[in-house]
Amino acid sequence: MLRALLSECANVVVMSASNGTSKPTDRQASITRHVFTSQQHLVASAHEINRTSRISAIPTVWEGGVEATAALSAALGLPGNSIAAARAARDKHEAALCFERHGVPHPRTMVASATTEECSRIESEFTYPFIVKSPWSTNSQSVTLVRTREELNGALAMLKRLYSPNRDNRLFGLYAQRAAQQPVLVQEYADGIELNIDLLIAPDAHRLLGIFEKYPMHGPTFEEVQSVYPPRIRASEMEECVQAAVGAVRALGATIGAAHVELRLTKGGPVIIEAALRPGGFLTPLAINHLTGVHPVSALARLLMTGEFPDIESLPAGVSCLYGAVNCGIEGRIKSISGERAVRNSVPGLSMFKLLKQPGDRLVPLPLGSDYHIASFMLVGSRRETLETAAQDIRRRVRVDVE
């Protein structure tokens, strides 16, 4: 990612809440790191940097930085989405209200609290099965499909634990900040093929960067398993889904930048699940770069600096790409991981494979946690079916022992 940014910029300033662990690049001297402790500290640091080295653009690459990026761009007078749009994208209830106002297809949604006293009210509004989750969930954390009153009680109890002030959560203690209200999002369940769509948008235009079909998950949790191109849908359906994704991003109030939209293609057409105002995470940028020759993060930086889209007229035909993870659904500490050498030596079409965990690391799977990926991989070739078989082979070969 840093190399991609350096292809467009002379210098890159990485602003984060921690020092990070990224490896050095061949242009490490062009990268400066700033650690901030609050949004006020972040804005003050950006002003100080801007006085000595003019900042040209502020692309965000992480969901937890979307609002801060909007605030920075506004403070420095740089192109970017409004703070209101960023906040709507981060808060799934606000997003649902935006979608409703603009006629964007979206599951019916209501807000409740994480108490068992709410069960009767929820059941009076929704028919089982339905979705329960935090309004700020990422990486499928907290997202649960409930089919009975017993499962609903369990999901609400899980969310109460997430709101515990003593719990270490991913988004700067975001759940703890809402501990008093303990809001819960309840949504109708939309069944169908799930797609990831990555876009760049400008005030009067958009550019499609990638569209991937997600591995089918039917609950009770929805772990990120794999995404594959091309999706098994007709060209007319793909165009309908892309237009729905663009409509969702516009409904949030976004005007310029990147968007990652997740939707389900139901029998009645596309239904938006959520829309994020940042590039797709995990290996999505790597897969898009392989398919199009364009890295989404560098394309985002160029768009913000020049207003120009990358030269992508259409997505390629006759090629396939699959990226995914080896996951573990057991909570505990890793004793051992095996199979890496077998994967590297014998899996056809393997473009990359990386162990994300090592012995001693702790796993906290869904729905309470989001730390369940053991390894990541990407496969490339000409036939989707061949890549799907290879992905199954990778998961069969990688073994994890947890205590």
Side-chain angles (χ1 to χ4, degrees), residues 345-364:
N345 291 341
S346 62
V347 175
L350 186 67
S351 175
M352 68 81 64
F353 178 88
K354 181 181 181 181
L355 284 179
L356 304 175
K357 298 296 181 185
Q358 59 186 358
D361 288 345
R362 183 164 182 79
L363 299 175
V364 185

Side-chain angles (χ1 to χ4, degrees), residues 64-81:
V66 169
E67 288 187 58
T69 298
L72 278 181
S73 298
L76 298 179
L78 294 172
N81 291 309

Side-chain angles (χ1 to χ4, degrees), residues 56 253 384:
S56 302
R384 166 179 165 156

